[in-house]
Structure formats: C-alpha cells, structure tokens
Amino acid sequence: METNMKFLTSRWITLFVSICLLLLLPGCWDYESISTRASLIGLGIDPADDDPQKVRVTIQYPIIKPEESGGMSSSSASSSTGEYQSLSAEAYSVSEAIKHLQLRVDHQIDPAQLQAIVFNRTLPSEMMDSVVGQLIRLPKMNRLAYVFSTPDSAKDVLTVTGTNTAPMDFLDKSMTYRQRGFILRRQLWEYWRDTAQVGVVPILPTVQCVSSEDKGEDTLLLGGTEVYLHNQAAFSLSPQETFYTQLMDGKVRGMAFDVPLGDGIASLTDVRSNSTLRCFDQGKNVVLVDRVSIRATLGKLPVVSRQVV
C-alpha cells in the first residue's frame, strides 16, 4: 500500500512539473508585432535654444510600409522617398523628451535597435555627463550603438538629405565597412566606461554636414576625433592626426594610400598596423617604448622613367 502511494505521488509530481514546463516552453508570450513599433535608428542630442537646462532630442526611425503581398517591410532610403521620419522635442531629460515625442508617433518608440547617437560638441560638461548616464540607464537602450560628436547641430546631421540611405543608417554602415584609419569607432558603453576610468581620456569620432557637389544637397563627412576632458569637448584631431594615433596604437585596418618611394609614388593596399607598448625603468625615469609593425600589399610600384641612350 505504501509503495503504491509513493508511486502515485511521484506520478502527480511528474505531471505537475510537466504542466509547468509546457507553460514556459512557448517563446512568444511577450511577442510584439513589428508593425506596432517605431524602432529608433538614430538619436541626436543638442542644447535647447531657449533654456540652458533643457536638451533637444531628435529621433529618427524608419516608416513601416505594407508590401503588395500583404506583409510588412521597412526601408531606410533617402528622404525624397519619405521612408524614414525625424522628430525633435525639448525637455529636461531624455526620457521626458521621448515621452513628448511618443505623443506624436502612432507606434511604440523602441530604442533596442538604435544604430547611432550624435552629440553636439557644445554640450556643457554637466549636461553631457547627465545625458550619457540617462542613456545607459534607459530601459531597452542599445548600448552597442555607435556614438559621434559633431561641430554642427545634431538635428542637422539627422535631417541631411544628400545620403543614399537614412543618415543614421549611413553612419552605422560607415562604421561597419569603412577603412579604419581616418576614423575611429566608439560605442555608447565604451564612452561611458572611459569617462569612469582613471587616466583614460574619452574620445568620439567626428561627423559633420558638408555640401554635396553632385546632388547640391548636404551630406555627411566622417573623419577626425573629438577629445573630451571631464565630459566636455577640449580639442579636435584632424583626420591625418587621427590616422597617426591609430597607427601608433596598432588599430589601422584595411587602409589604402600612396607613399613616396625614391623619385616616384608607390601604392599600398590592405594596410594593417600592430603595436607593442612597453615601459622600462631607467633609474628615476620611466621610458615608454612603442614598437609598431605595418603590413600591407604593394598595389603599384613607382614608375621610373628610362632614358634611351
């Protein structure tokens, strides 16, 4: 009798556990349709025009369009096609600004797929520190989004019309495929980490609006570095200076450029640099030695003119 009771008890326990597992197995219990969300691809932060304590937040998101087959599709093409939308709002915090923007959007604003964040270089130190902290703590925020600094208005960067894709999609693809030399890569969590570390200077790649010669519209130009001290832009590095620092740091990848060789010019492709940094104690002094090695493919030899005698 006691054996049968134990057997029945174990059967009931097994059945109960199986029912609980079946309730947890479905993976779509928190499913949200993509047609109900406005997935942000870009975010711009500027100081407000009238109130120095407010920030102007500009968002950019693709417009979801129904396909002819009845499905949903999203695209980030040029503004002339109207396939993305940019909106701005001023508030005392990023979350409050997004709340105001939500009233103007008929979809749920979702920063989980955020691709790029642009900071105006004129942001005061306290505001920059506050905004970065808010973005890090914002629920569902994509902390792997690329971050940039601009001498122009961040709103102007998000609303340029001369790029073949949405401006923030252009920046994201540039960080993925562009040669690493004149431009460096920084993600949101990396900048936040650098601001909290002792002895580390935070840096951001620079993007600015320039006039496109062929289209007659503003487009985006990447190149150079903005150096921050205490969360405030201190000075800038040109694209050439950025390339030099990247070369010394061993982070140049996929570059191609021409170098003087003798009386001619040689072309190098697929340039890569590696560095080994060491410290040596010499009495009361410390000597810092950086050994840089460069590998490249010779694409073109210099043309040597030959005289026929």
Side-chain angles (χ1 to χ4, degrees), residues 256-274:
F257 52 86
D258 298 334
V259 293
L261 183 61
D263 296 332
I265 300 295
S267 296
L268 300 179
T269 61
D270 194 23
V271 179
R272 301 172 61 90
S273 69
N274 294 285

Side-chain angles (χ1 to χ4, degrees), residues 35-91:
S35 60
T36 64
R37 292 180 295 167
S39 297
L40 299 187
I41 59 174
L43 193 69
I45 307 295
D46 291 299
D49 296 329
D50 301 327
D51 192 339
Q53 296 184 353
K54 286 186 177 182
V55 293
R56 182 176 64 197
V57 178
T58 304
I59 62 172
Q60 187 173 101
Y61 61 93
I63 297 176
I64 307 299
K65 291 185 176 182
E67 294 180 344
E68 294 181 359
S69 59
M72 304 300 294
S73 66
S74 65
S75 177
S76 300
S78 63
S79 62
S80 60
T81 61
E83 294 180 341
Y84 68 88
Q85 180 72 33
S86 298
L87 299 172
S88 299
E90 295 184 0

Side-chain angles (χ1 to χ4, degrees), residues 16 69 116 215 260 265 308:
F16 176 75
S69 59
K215 296 182 179 181
I265 300 295
V308 179

Side-chain angles (χ1 to χ4, degrees), residues 92-168:
Y92 291 102
S93 65
V94 176
S95 57
E96 184 183 0
I98 293 179
K99 180 184 69 175
H100 293 330
L101 291 170
Q102 182 64 75
L103 300 176
R104 301 162 57 186
V105 181
D106 59 352
H107 293 67
Q108 178 65 40
I109 294 179
D110 183 11
Q113 302 297 323
L114 186 64
Q115 297 176 346
I117 305 172
V118 181
F119 296 103
N120 191 316
R121 72 180 306 271
T122 62
L123 284 172
S125 175
E126 298 81 5
M127 184 177 292
M128 183 70 174
D129 181 65
S130 174
V131 167
V132 172
Q134 293 176 54
L135 293 175
I136 287 292
R137 294 187 296 269
L138 199 65
K140 296 184 179 181
M141 170 59 65
N142 180 20
R143 295 164 184 84
L144 299 180
Y146 292 112
V147 285
F148 302 86
S149 177
T150 180
D152 306 312
S153 167
K155 180 181 179 180
D156 292 342
V157 172
L158 267 71
T159 55
V160 296
T161 57
T163 56
N164 293 327
T165 62
M168 296 298 98

Side-chain angles (χ1 to χ4, degrees), residues 238-270:
S238 67
Q240 290 74 19
E241 292 171 333
T242 301
F243 172 73
Y244 179 75
T245 56
Q246 293 272 78
L247 189 69
M248 300 298 292
D249 201 20
K251 293 183 179 179
V252 172
R253 297 290 184 272
M255 284 291 294
F257 52 86
D258 298 334
V259 293
L261 183 61
D263 296 332
I265 300 295
S267 296
L268 300 179
T269 61
D270 194 23

